[in-house]
Amino acid sequence: MRLRRCLAVAAAVAVTTPVALFTAAPALAATPSAAQTQNQQKKPDQPTYAELEKTAADAKKAYEDAVAAEEKGEKELEATLDALDSDTHPLRAATITADKAAKDAADARTAAEQAVTDAEAKLEAAGNAADRAEAQKALKAAEADLTEAVKAKQEADTAAEKAQTALDDARVAAVREYSVLQNTLDKARKAKEAADEALATAKECVRENGLTSLAVGLPSKVVAGTTVDFTLRLTNGTERTLSVDPLVFVHVDGEGPGEKSRLKVEWSNGSGWHALNGNEPEHIGPVDTMKPGEHSDVKLRMKADSVARSTEVIALFAADASSAYRPCVQGPMKRYDFALLPAGSEPGEVDDAKPGEPDTDDDKRPDTAAPATGKDSSAQGGASEQAAKAQATGTEGETEAEADGNLARTGSSSAMTPIALASAAAVALGAGTVFAIRRRRRAADNA
């Protein structure tokens, strides 16, 4: 019943409601993709990540308010329409009275028309002059009454139409008021979706090849029982100011997850020495502010327990970062291979370990989940071929975004659940774990 009633005035609403009420544009234009924004300077009108978060929060609040207003408006509309349908409402009562007057006027006109017909019959049947005169007089009176009845019916019909129009106008006004709330809700929804999309786009990881990490003084051979000092130099060769978190992973070939490493590695940024856990990559020595062109050094030292035979060690270094506009910025990963020699060995002349060539193999992820077993096998085992291709092509952020889902676009919380490194997939150390630790770090930063 209510649906039919609303549909009955829909046509009137469509005619009387301005077109502008049914059009809405997103309040926030879609943000370019991560690939488009990579290595670009901030534009004057580009919002910071904090501003995007505030815009999304404000849009969510506006949407929630619009939902509440629309729900309240719907109840008020139903109440108004129910009241207008009640015989006690003045407008409805006026239509009832006017309709009755119009019906009475129609009945009176019908009676007047019959009286004229009867008078015409009597006139035709009159046999003498006196009867004809009397019948003619009666016909004239009947015709006069009919004229008055026709006029009265027209006036009554006009009054009834006017009363019905007033009632319909009240219904249309109520529906139009509700349609404004619906339009406001539609605009608020689109603004929220656009704000969520912009925030999600800014959250995607981007690659910055200019954000480099370089091991300075790391020897190509390390004798067990000796202590080696070297430096991790971080350089911001990008065009943006960054907060940098160096990512470090040192792994001795053949050591499994949870096994105590024979190689103890510590780092310091001037606040004492801190040991690496040796089982997974971790962030060390955060640098709060690093402007374009600046560099920062983190000291590292390592000492190996006695080993029975020479073995291979790999060290992975990368710089994870964030800026005012991006919570996840990643520099290329560097790999260093060096030899761990038994105690008392005479290594002879020792050169510095060399980083891998700065090409797509620097942080390529292998196809298998098997642990690394030698120098020719990357110790970054555990990631899929798809992750390898993503890293090699610089689209790691997009792959991670797919893995994280589309929460921001649906208004869900942006805090991502940390990945459990103790799962079966974590049997293979290296890239799979690197991939996970980066995501876990990003989740913690955004929580």
Side-chain angles (χ1 to χ4, degrees):
M1 174 64 182
R2 292 177 177 175
L3 177 60
R4 290 198 300 269
R5 182 174 59 203
C6 290
L7 291 176
V9 294
V13 174
V15 172
T16 57
T17 302
V19 175
L21 292 179
F22 296 99
T23 60
L28 184 60
T31 305
S33 67
Q36 292 174 319
T37 57
Q38 183 177 346
N39 295 322
Q40 290 183 351
Q41 284 184 297
K42 169 187 176 293
K43 296 182 179 179
D45 58 347
Q46 179 185 349
T48 65
Y49 188 76
E51 290 170 341
L52 289 176
E53 284 186 311
K54 184 178 185 306
T55 298
D58 291 345
K60 179 182 178 182
K61 178 64 167 57
Y63 173 71
E64 292 171 346
D65 291 345
V67 169
E70 189 272 342
E71 291 175 349
K72 180 181 178 182
E74 183 179 11
K75 294 178 181 178
E76 292 177 349
L77 173 62
E78 289 294 339
T80 298
L81 294 179
D82 286 342
L84 290 173
D85 281 346
S86 173
D87 292 348
T88 60
H89 193 280
L91 293 178
R92 176 61 178 163
T95 61
I96 294 173
T97 300
D99 287 344
K100 185 178 184 305
K103 185 179 182 304
D104 292 344
D107 292 342
R109 175 179 173 176
T110 299
E113 289 174 342
Q114 186 61 47
V116 170
T117 299
D118 293 345
E120 290 175 341
K122 288 183 179 182
L123 177 59
E124 185 177 351
N128 53 54
D131 290 340
R132 283 196 296 275
E134 184 66 23
Q136 185 66 44
K137 182 178 179 181
L139 176 59
K140 185 176 181 180
E143 290 175 340
D145 289 342
L146 177 58
T147 300
E148 290 297 323
V150 170
K151 181 179 179 181
K153 183 177 182 305
Q154 291 175 341
E155 292 175 349
D157 287 344
T158 300
E161 182 179 357
K162 184 177 180 180
Q164 186 62 49
T165 298
L167 179 61
D168 289 343
D169 286 347
R171 288 171 173 163
V172 169
V175 175
R176 184 187 295 117
E177 183 176 352
Y178 175 63
S179 72
V180 172
L181 296 177
Q182 287 181 311
N183 179 66
T184 300
L185 176 59
D186 184 58
K187 287 183 176 180
R189 181 185 297 109
K190 291 179 179 178
K192 179 182 179 299
E193 290 173 352
D196 288 343
E197 182 178 0
L199 183 61
T201 300
K203 192 180 297 182
E204 293 176 357
C205 291
V206 294
R207 300 297 300 274
E208 284 285 8
N209 291 330
L211 179 58
T212 60
S213 53
L214 181 66
V216 180
L218 175 63
S220 59
K221 298 176 184 179
V222 176
V223 177
T226 64
T227 299
V228 173
D229 294 282
F230 64 100
T231 300
L232 178 62
R233 167 153 294 191
L234 309 167
T235 301
N236 182 8
T238 74
E239 297 176 333
R240 66 183 75 181
T241 298
L242 300 172
S243 297
V244 181
D245 280 328
L247 185 68
V248 175
F249 180 51
V250 180
H251 176 66
V252 178
D253 180 38
E255 293 183 347
E259 180 180 348
K260 183 179 179 180
S261 179
R262 289 164 287 176
L263 189 62
K264 181 180 180 181
V265 183
E266 297 177 314
W267 65 271
S268 174
N269 59 356
S271 58
W273 289 96
H274 312 274
L276 296 180
N277 57 39
N279 291 322
E280 62 184 36
E282 56 188 284
H283 291 90
I284 67 171
V287 182
D288 291 337
T289 302
M290 188 179 292
K291 296 180 180 180
E294 289 186 345
H295 69 267
S296 180
D297 292 341
V298 180
K299 295 180 180 179
L300 292 104
R301 68 185 182 187
M302 57 186 177
K303 181 178 181 180
D305 295 336
S306 61
V307 293
R309 60 181 179 83
S310 299
T311 187
E312 299 294 332
V313 182
I314 66 108
L316 302 177
F317 302 103
D320 289 349
S322 64
S323 71
Y325 311 97
R326 290 275 179 173
C328 182
V329 181
Q330 297 178 347
M333 187 176 294
K334 296 296 182 183
R335 170 178 169 158
Y336 292 78
D337 293 272
F338 60 93
L340 180 58
L341 306 179
S345 298
E346 294 293 338
E349 185 177 350
V350 179
D351 296 326
D352 285 349
K354 302 298 182 184
E357 293 296 325
D359 57 22
T360 56
D361 288 333
D362 281 340
D363 51 356
K364 180 181 179 181
R365 270 43 174 179
D367 300 341
T368 67
T373 58
K375 184 172 182 179
D376 293 335
S377 300
S378 172
Q380 304 175 37
S384 66
E385 181 177 3
Q386 180 180 5
K389 293 179 179 178
Q391 284 294 324
T393 56
T395 59
E396 179 187 11
E398 297 174 8
T399 303
E400 292 183 19
E402 293 175 4
D404 292 339
N406 209 18
L407 298 180
R409 297 173 190 268
T410 60
S412 301
S413 171
S414 63
M416 294 173 287
T417 305
I419 295 178
L421 296 179
S423 67
V427 171
L429 294 175
T433 315
V434 172
F435 188 74
I437 196 70
R438 285 191 174 194
R439 292 182 60 195
R440 185 173 65 179
R441 178 70 178 194
R442 181 154 56 99
D445 290 342
N446 292 335

